[in-house]
Amino acid sequence: MNDASDIFTFASEDGLLAYRDTGAGRPLVLLHGGYLDHTMWDDQVPVLARHHRVIAPDARGHGASANASRPFRQTDDLAALLRHLGVGPAVLAGVSMGATIAVDTALVHPDLVRALVISGGGTSAPELHDPWARGVQAAQARALAAGDIEGWIDGSALWAAGPHRTLDDIDPEVVRRLREMARRTITKHTAAEPDHHRPVPDTATRAKEITVPVLAVNGALDTPDLAAIAERIATTVPDGRITTIEGAAHMPTMEQPDAYNRILEDFLRTLYAEER
């Protein structure tokens, strides 16, 4: 769980951005999924902070971070935070939206990135062809248009189950945490609020520009469209690796934290051993 003494805020040019910062050693940045927050990494932070300085921000408009009042890019917010902290190059580990922020940062701010670990995504505006995924997207859009926040949260949680399971197959505590994070973030916003986020363009085609090592870690039960994005990036770069976690879908960090932690720690050990 969070230790309040590890939570800080950074005065960006457009409001305060919250982040967790704990441990010591080489920097490791953990980037959460869309409509979630840094607490999705609660099962990783204590383990990884034994040997690394772990930084887990809340993206703008998420968790405890300020909403946007003008156009912004998530990668620029992250870069501003890391430069404020004097941190970099860092390993960036991201899930879903967090994977996209990680890839964007490797492209836009390469001096800040040592390696990437991406799960369930990695490029902006992914095209989803899987009927199940398109159905969940449509259901969430209908709920949001109707002002049905609880219905939207229900749809948001379904991504953790994936196309092959129901929420009854997921640990109830994981579902509770996902719903709680989604509720905290969605209720920060209003229906009439402008979308100020500006994605980095052409990331799918530009992925070949990434020169740092990339590890794709997908849940075996995730929707194939999202898993394929991370795998495509890993096979595009000069040093890419792919692994899969059984018994998990879109949130392998939360469903199978021990397996994810082992994979990430092994990757970090290998990465830094190669520098000697």
Side-chain angles (χ1 to χ4, degrees):
M1 296 298 292
N2 273 330
D3 182 339
S5 65
D6 295 339
I7 308 301
F8 305 91
T9 56
F10 160 59
S12 77
E13 294 182 355
D14 188 21
L16 295 177
L17 301 180
Y19 63 98
R20 188 174 185 186
D21 187 356
T22 187
R26 291 184 171 98
L28 171 63
V29 180
L30 305 178
L31 302 167
H32 63 77
Y35 290 95
L36 304 180
D37 59 46
H38 76 271
T39 64
M40 71 161 279
W41 296 100
D42 279 354
D43 295 318
Q44 280 70 49
V45 172
V47 175
L48 299 170
R50 295 179 303 194
H51 304 293
H52 299 274
R53 180 179 180 181
V54 178
I55 300 163
D58 284 350
R60 184 176 299 280
H62 294 67
S65 287
N67 291 356
S69 66
R70 59 192 187 192
F72 76 102
R73 298 192 303 184
Q74 291 166 329
T75 179
D76 297 334
D77 280 344
L78 177 59
L81 171 62
L82 296 183
R83 290 186 173 120
H84 168 75
L85 297 175
V87 170
V91 174
L92 309 184
V95 174
S96 194
M97 181 188 79
T100 298
I101 299 172
V103 171
D104 288 352
T105 305
L107 291 169
V108 180
H109 303 284
D111 58 304
L112 295 174
V113 180
R114 176 63 185 86
L116 303 178
V117 181
I118 55 177
S119 305
T123 60
S124 300
E127 291 187 15
L128 300 183
H129 304 286
D130 174 22
W132 175 87
R134 291 171 68 90
V136 174
Q137 276 190 324
Q140 285 188 273
R142 287 194 300 271
L144 205 56
D148 180 6
I149 298 303
E150 289 304 311
W152 181 91
I153 292 171
D154 290 342
S156 179
L158 284 174
W159 294 101
H164 308 292
R165 301 180 298 174
T166 71
L167 287 177
D168 290 337
D169 299 315
I170 309 292
D171 181 345
E173 177 63 11
V174 169
V175 176
R176 183 197 66 78
R177 289 172 59 198
L178 286 167
R179 292 178 60 88
E180 187 177 86
M181 286 185 280
R183 184 175 291 106
R184 276 198 297 266
T185 290
I186 193 67
T187 54
K188 288 165 60 75
H189 301 277
T190 64
E193 182 180 318
D195 182 3
H196 288 299
H197 178 246
R198 300 294 180 264
V200 175
D202 302 323
T203 50
T205 56
R206 292 178 58 196
K208 60 182 180 293
E209 300 171 20
I210 297 173
T211 59
V212 298
V214 176
L215 171 64
V217 185
N218 289 316
L221 301 174
D222 201 358
T223 179
D225 291 334
L226 295 175
I229 295 171
E231 293 178 1
R232 217 163 24 240
I233 293 170
T235 56
T236 297
V237 301
D239 184 359
R241 312 160 204 192
I242 297 170
T243 191
T244 301
I245 295 179
E246 298 297 326
H250 199 50
M251 293 293 156
T253 56
M254 296 179 67
E255 280 205 85
Q256 299 293 337
D258 293 341
Y260 182 90
N261 293 350
R262 284 194 300 271
I263 290 168
L264 181 52
E265 288 191 299
D266 287 347
F267 176 72
L268 294 170
R269 276 192 293 269
T270 301
L271 180 72
Y272 292 121
E274 292 170 355
E275 294 182 353
R276 295 173 187 165

